[in-house]
Amino acid sequence: KAGVTQTPRYLIKTRGQQVTLSCSPISGHRSVSWYQQTPGQGLQFLFEYFSETQRNKGNFPGRFSGRQFSNSRSEMNVSTLELGDSALYLCASSFNRLAGVEQFFGPGTRLTVL
Amino acid sequence: QKEVEQDPGPLSVPEGAIVSLNCTYSNSAFQYFMWYRQYSRKGPELLMYTYSSGNKEDGRFTAQVDKSSKYISLFIRDSQPSDSATYLCAMSGKGVTGFQKLVFGTGTRLLVSP
């Protein structure tokens, strides 16, 4: 079974621009969650999508948004990029939403904001 | 204060040494305790997890959870250079309903020298 895939793997943007990241979950997984990883803060939960609806949200500003399509693929958007948004953005998919242990991570998209 | 605290390291050991990695936490609602390994430029990979208290062994790896002290450990026996990576502890609750997000430590960088 193919794992979680994320595209693109690397992105370079400038301040003020916006960016869209994509995540394809493991086949059959309907829950997709997004995490931001930075050296100082580690991995922090952004939001979770299930059945095309955002179900849970972490403590991030409204510039961070996402959506999920009927095939469970998800996109994450960051508008008005700031230098501090430079991070590795990880997507995780799961079949059983009730067990955090069953989240499987993709390789991430490394975003650099100049 | 963060919910999960983890020493960032780096931790340098010679090949064959026993490695001890630790995390402390403050949220008594956590029920699942996980250890992830993350190689450079990759997403986190689940190594092993423990539900509630106790020990779990898998090959060279042993995970321990002490809920009374809110302290978890990962031991690596006969460490190998291929074990060089960042080790992340993560925790979640056990949901009856609703998504259980993962709460991560910041990770400990381990370097095993030949």
Side-chain angles (χ1 to χ4, degrees), chain A residues 9-10 31 33 35 37 39-43 45 48 56 88 90 94 97-101 103 105-108 110, chain B residues 2 32 34 36 38 41-44 46 49 88 92-106:
Chain A
R9 294 293 312 278
Y10 302 92
S31 169
S33 49
Y35 292 80
Q37 186 176 27
Q41 297 297 318
L43 274 103
F45 173 73
E48 184 237 358
N56 293 276
L88 181 67
L90 292 156
S94 65
R97 298 176 68 229
L98 302 183
V101 67
Q103 293 182 36
F105 285 86
R110 184 162 296 278
Chain B
K2 290 186 176 182
Y32 284 98
M34 291 145 274
Y36 285 83
Q38 185 175 24
R41 307 284 181 187
K42 303 281 189 182
L46 181 65
Y49 73 91
L88 300 144
S92 75
K94 182 177 188 238
V96 176
T97 60
F99 174 76
Q100 297 299 313
K101 71 175 184 182
L102 296 174
V103 181
F104 283 87
T106 50

Side-chain angles (χ1 to χ4, degrees), chain A residues 24-64:
Chain A
S24 292
I26 292 171
S27 177
H29 288 191
R30 294 168 58 199
S31 169
V32 174
S33 49
W34 289 88
Y35 292 80
Q36 181 197 64
Q37 186 176 27
T38 59
Q41 297 297 318
L43 274 103
Q44 293 184 287
F45 173 73
L46 278 157
F47 32 65
E48 184 237 358
Y49 283 85
F50 178 73
S51 293
E52 303 176 59
T53 304
Q54 187 182 95
R55 305 288 179 154
N56 293 276
K57 190 175 190 304
N59 189 25
F60 279 82
R63 300 186 297 107
F64 292 82

Side-chain angles (χ1 to χ4, degrees), chain B residues 57-101:
Chain B
E57 187 173 322
D58 184 2
R60 296 184 296 111
F61 299 88
T62 300
Q64 289 184 352
V65 175
D66 181 349
K67 291 190 76 178
S68 62
S69 302
K70 295 190 175 65
Y71 187 88
I72 72 169
S73 301
L74 177 71
F75 297 96
I76 307 174
R77 292 183 299 280
D78 188 24
S79 56
Q80 302 295 310
S82 58
D83 295 329
S84 297
T86 296
Y87 289 80
L88 300 144
C89 63
M91 306 175 190
S92 75
K94 182 177 188 238
V96 176
T97 60
F99 174 76
Q100 297 299 313
K101 71 175 184 182

Side-chain angles (χ1 to χ4, degrees), chain A residues 57-113:
Chain A
K57 190 175 190 304
N59 189 25
F60 279 82
R63 300 186 297 107
F64 292 82
S65 63
R67 59 178 175 167
Q68 187 180 36
F69 302 94
S70 58
N71 62 359
S72 295
R73 189 177 70 85
S74 177
E75 288 182 346
M76 190 191 102
N77 185 76
V78 188
S79 62
T80 319
L81 284 166
E82 301 177 359
L83 294 179
D85 297 333
S86 294
L88 181 67
Y89 290 89
L90 292 156
C91 160
S93 76
S94 65
F95 179 78
N96 180 2
R97 298 176 68 229
L98 302 183
V101 67
E102 294 188 17
Q103 293 182 36
F104 296 90
F105 285 86
T109 294
R110 184 162 296 278
L111 172 64
T112 301
V113 182

